[in-house]
Amino acid sequence: MKKLTHINQKGDAQLVDITDKAITHRKAIAEGTIQLNKETLKLIQANLIKKGDVLSTAKIAGIQAAKKTWELIPLCHSINLTKIDINFNIDKKNNTIVCQSSCECFAQTGLEMEALSAISIALLTIYDMVKAVDRTMVISNIHLVEKSGGRSGTYVSKDSVKAKVKKTANKKT
């Protein structure tokens, strides 16, 4: 079992020392879903929610969350993000909105928490903006899809689209 890096020899919480780590290009992609009533989804798409443009507001909230992750999660380092991208995919068949965030930087430590924070806050913003018309919403499946850079290399979730495409390609050969 790997040693937890945020715990010192006494068992106390600590900020991980990254002094000697190399600066590398790093990227993290995260994803999450919110399920809504069919009518609520239609209101969002028609931009008829009284609080305003739901998806644009959620995108800005997600960007802010990624930038402020180090202020929200006590043992996260502050990271100078060079790119934050947030996209929404509306799935009418399942009455869901899938949110995906992608964060990039050149740093000594990873930015998985920034990508995950972006998703969490973007989805919570959607919830907040439409809760007056739909209290049955369910936020789920917030997870890391992929990360690259640093000593530990690349990670791709077995559930990611990229992993599924690779698995399908391998079966054909």
Side-chain angles (χ1 to χ4, degrees), residues 35-42 95 133-137:
Q35 185 165 23
L36 315 100
N37 284 328
K38 185 182 233 176
E39 296 76 28
T40 307
L41 197 54
K42 287 179 183 177
N95 300 318
V133 295
D134 185 358
R135 296 211 185 249
T136 66
M137 294 173 284

PDB file of all heavy atoms in Angstrom, residues 35-42 95 133-137:
ATOM      1  N   GLN A  35     -28.837  14.960 -13.150  1.00  0.00           N
ATOM      2  CA  GLN A  35     -30.074  14.493 -13.757  1.00  0.00           C
ATOM      3  C   GLN A  35     -31.193  15.425 -13.315  1.00  0.00           C
ATOM      4  O   GLN A  35     -31.282  15.803 -12.142  1.00  0.00           O
ATOM      5  CB  GLN A  35     -30.387  13.062 -13.330  1.00  0.00           C
ATOM      6  CG  GLN A  35     -31.594  12.507 -14.036  1.00  0.00           C
ATOM      7  CD  GLN A  35     -31.704  11.000 -13.907  1.00  0.00           C
ATOM      8  OE1 GLN A  35     -31.162  10.408 -12.983  1.00  0.00           O
ATOM      9  NE2 GLN A  35     -32.398  10.383 -14.836  1.00  0.00           N
ATOM     10  N   LEU A  36     -32.032  15.815 -14.276  1.00  0.00           N
ATOM     11  CA  LEU A  36     -33.105  16.772 -14.028  1.00  0.00           C
ATOM     12  C   LEU A  36     -34.421  16.245 -14.587  1.00  0.00           C
ATOM     13  O   LEU A  36     -34.430  15.286 -15.356  1.00  0.00           O
ATOM     14  CB  LEU A  36     -32.798  18.105 -14.726  1.00  0.00           C
ATOM     15  CG  LEU A  36     -31.399  18.681 -14.610  1.00  0.00           C
ATOM     16  CD1 LEU A  36     -30.590  18.393 -15.837  1.00  0.00           C
ATOM     17  CD2 LEU A  36     -31.473  20.159 -14.366  1.00  0.00           C
ATOM     18  N   ASN A  37     -35.508  16.938 -14.253  1.00  0.00           N
ATOM     19  CA  ASN A  37     -36.784  16.646 -14.895  1.00  0.00           C
ATOM     20  C   ASN A  37     -36.701  17.070 -16.357  1.00  0.00           C
ATOM     21  O   ASN A  37     -35.983  18.018 -16.697  1.00  0.00           O
ATOM     22  CB  ASN A  37     -37.930  17.420 -14.229  1.00  0.00           C
ATOM     23  CG  ASN A  37     -38.332  16.815 -12.908  1.00  0.00           C
ATOM     24  OD1 ASN A  37     -38.247  15.611 -12.718  1.00  0.00           O
ATOM     25  ND2 ASN A  37     -38.760  17.662 -11.993  1.00  0.00           N
ATOM     26  N   LYS A  38     -37.458  16.410 -17.192  1.00  0.00           N
ATOM     27  CA  LYS A  38     -37.487  16.726 -18.623  1.00  0.00           C
ATOM     28  C   LYS A  38     -37.860  18.197 -18.844  1.00  0.00           C
ATOM     29  O   LYS A  38     -37.257  18.893 -19.665  1.00  0.00           O
ATOM     30  CB  LYS A  38     -38.504  15.815 -19.322  1.00  0.00           C
ATOM     31  CG  LYS A  38     -38.562  15.940 -20.809  1.00  0.00           C
ATOM     32  CD  LYS A  38     -39.646  15.026 -21.378  1.00  0.00           C
ATOM     33  CE  LYS A  38     -39.045  14.165 -22.440  1.00  0.00           C
ATOM     34  NZ  LYS A  38     -39.984  13.189 -22.997  1.00  0.00           N
ATOM     35  N   GLU A  39     -38.828  18.696 -18.093  1.00  0.00           N
ATOM     36  CA  GLU A  39     -39.287  20.086 -18.229  1.00  0.00           C
ATOM     37  C   GLU A  39     -38.183  21.072 -17.834  1.00  0.00           C
ATOM     38  O   GLU A  39     -38.032  22.122 -18.444  1.00  0.00           O
ATOM     39  CB  GLU A  39     -40.544  20.330 -17.382  1.00  0.00           C
ATOM     40  CG  GLU A  39     -41.759  19.519 -17.813  1.00  0.00           C
ATOM     41  CD  GLU A  39     -41.695  18.040 -17.401  1.00  0.00           C
ATOM     42  OE1 GLU A  39     -41.050  17.706 -16.386  1.00  0.00           O
ATOM     43  OE2 GLU A  39     -42.286  17.213 -18.130  1.00  0.00           O
ATOM     44  N   THR A  40     -37.447  20.736 -16.798  1.00  0.00           N
ATOM     45  CA  THR A  40     -36.354  21.601 -16.341  1.00  0.00           C
ATOM     46  C   THR A  40     -35.279  21.701 -17.408  1.00  0.00           C
ATOM     47  O   THR A  40     -34.772  22.789 -17.690  1.00  0.00           O
ATOM     48  CB  THR A  40     -35.739  21.061 -15.032  1.00  0.00           C
ATOM     49  OG1 THR A  40     -36.781  20.864 -14.080  1.00  0.00           O
ATOM     50  CG2 THR A  40     -34.712  22.015 -14.474  1.00  0.00           C
ATOM     51  N   LEU A  41     -34.961  20.583 -18.014  1.00  0.00           N
ATOM     52  CA  LEU A  41     -33.966  20.565 -19.081  1.00  0.00           C
ATOM     53  C   LEU A  41     -34.416  21.444 -20.251  1.00  0.00           C
ATOM     54  O   LEU A  41     -33.620  22.203 -20.810  1.00  0.00           O
ATOM     55  CB  LEU A  41     -33.715  19.132 -19.534  1.00  0.00           C
ATOM     56  CG  LEU A  41     -32.459  18.867 -20.340  1.00  0.00           C
ATOM     57  CD1 LEU A  41     -31.207  19.347 -19.647  1.00  0.00           C
ATOM     58  CD2 LEU A  41     -32.336  17.387 -20.645  1.00  0.00           C
ATOM     59  N   LYS A  42     -35.690  21.371 -20.584  1.00  0.00           N
ATOM     60  CA  LYS A  42     -36.226  22.216 -21.657  1.00  0.00           C
ATOM     61  C   LYS A  42     -36.114  23.699 -21.300  1.00  0.00           C
ATOM     62  O   LYS A  42     -35.781  24.531 -22.153  1.00  0.00           O
ATOM     63  CB  LYS A  42     -37.686  21.856 -21.943  1.00  0.00           C
ATOM     64  CG  LYS A  42     -37.856  20.546 -22.669  1.00  0.00           C
ATOM     65  CD  LYS A  42     -39.331  20.244 -22.894  1.00  0.00           C
ATOM     66  CE  LYS A  42     -39.524  18.902 -23.567  1.00  0.00           C
ATOM     67  NZ  LYS A  42     -40.951  18.567 -23.729  1.00  0.00           N
ATOM     68  N   ASN A  95     -32.332  12.846 -19.746  1.00  0.00           N
ATOM     69  CA  ASN A  95     -32.594  14.070 -18.973  1.00  0.00           C
ATOM     70  C   ASN A  95     -31.417  14.429 -18.067  1.00  0.00           C
ATOM     71  O   ASN A  95     -31.584  14.689 -16.877  1.00  0.00           O
ATOM     72  CB  ASN A  95     -33.883  13.942 -18.157  1.00  0.00           C
ATOM     73  CG  ASN A  95     -35.082  13.709 -19.037  1.00  0.00           C
ATOM     74  OD1 ASN A  95     -35.223  14.329 -20.087  1.00  0.00           O
ATOM     75  ND2 ASN A  95     -35.938  12.795 -18.633  1.00  0.00           N
ATOM     76  N   VAL A 133     -37.602  25.292  -9.576  1.00  0.00           N
ATOM     77  CA  VAL A 133     -38.523  24.539 -10.441  1.00  0.00           C
ATOM     78  C   VAL A 133     -38.300  23.029 -10.374  1.00  0.00           C
ATOM     79  O   VAL A 133     -39.124  22.278 -10.885  1.00  0.00           O
ATOM     80  CB  VAL A 133     -38.445  25.013 -11.920  1.00  0.00           C
ATOM     81  CG1 VAL A 133     -38.918  26.451 -12.049  1.00  0.00           C
ATOM     82  CG2 VAL A 133     -37.066  24.842 -12.497  1.00  0.00           C
ATOM     83  N   ASP A 134     -37.207  22.587  -9.755  1.00  0.00           N
ATOM     84  CA  ASP A 134     -36.917  21.147  -9.728  1.00  0.00           C
ATOM     85  C   ASP A 134     -36.033  20.812  -8.531  1.00  0.00           C
ATOM     86  O   ASP A 134     -34.846  21.088  -8.525  1.00  0.00           O
ATOM     87  CB  ASP A 134     -36.211  20.745 -11.031  1.00  0.00           C
ATOM     88  CG  ASP A 134     -35.972  19.249 -11.152  1.00  0.00           C
ATOM     89  OD1 ASP A 134     -36.307  18.493 -10.221  1.00  0.00           O
ATOM     90  OD2 ASP A 134     -35.436  18.842 -12.202  1.00  0.00           O
ATOM     91  N   ARG A 135     -36.622  20.196  -7.527  1.00  0.00           N
ATOM     92  CA  ARG A 135     -35.841  19.783  -6.352  1.00  0.00           C
ATOM     93  C   ARG A 135     -35.489  18.302  -6.394  1.00  0.00           C
ATOM     94  O   ARG A 135     -34.961  17.756  -5.430  1.00  0.00           O
ATOM     95  CB  ARG A 135     -36.593  20.120  -5.073  1.00  0.00           C
ATOM     96  CG  ARG A 135     -36.778  21.618  -4.924  1.00  0.00           C
ATOM     97  CD  ARG A 135     -36.796  22.015  -3.492  1.00  0.00           C
ATOM     98  NE  ARG A 135     -37.093  23.434  -3.395  1.00  0.00           N
ATOM     99  CZ  ARG A 135     -36.213  24.339  -2.992  1.00  0.00           C
ATOM    100  NH1 ARG A 135     -35.007  23.980  -2.651  1.00  0.00           N
ATOM    101  NH2 ARG A 135     -36.532  25.604  -2.915  1.00  0.00           N
ATOM    102  N   THR A 136     -35.776  17.655  -7.507  1.00  0.00           N
ATOM    103  CA  THR A 136     -35.497  16.221  -7.623  1.00  0.00           C
ATOM    104  C   THR A 136     -34.153  15.941  -8.283  1.00  0.00           C
ATOM    105  O   THR A 136     -33.809  14.792  -8.518  1.00  0.00           O
ATOM    106  CB  THR A 136     -36.597  15.510  -8.439  1.00  0.00           C
ATOM    107  OG1 THR A 136     -36.554  15.976  -9.790  1.00  0.00           O
ATOM    108  CG2 THR A 136     -37.972  15.742  -7.847  1.00  0.00           C
ATOM    109  N   MET A 137     -33.398  16.982  -8.582  1.00  0.00           N
ATOM    110  CA  MET A 137     -32.127  16.795  -9.295  1.00  0.00           C
ATOM    111  C   MET A 137     -31.167  15.924  -8.503  1.00  0.00           C
ATOM    112  O   MET A 137     -31.154  15.964  -7.272  1.00  0.00           O
ATOM    113  CB  MET A 137     -31.474  18.163  -9.558  1.00  0.00           C
ATOM    114  CG  MET A 137     -32.254  19.035 -10.498  1.00  0.00           C
ATOM    115  SD  MET A 137     -31.534  20.680 -10.602  1.00  0.00           S
ATOM    116  CE  MET A 137     -32.089  21.397  -9.052  1.00  0.00           C
TER     117      MET A 137
END
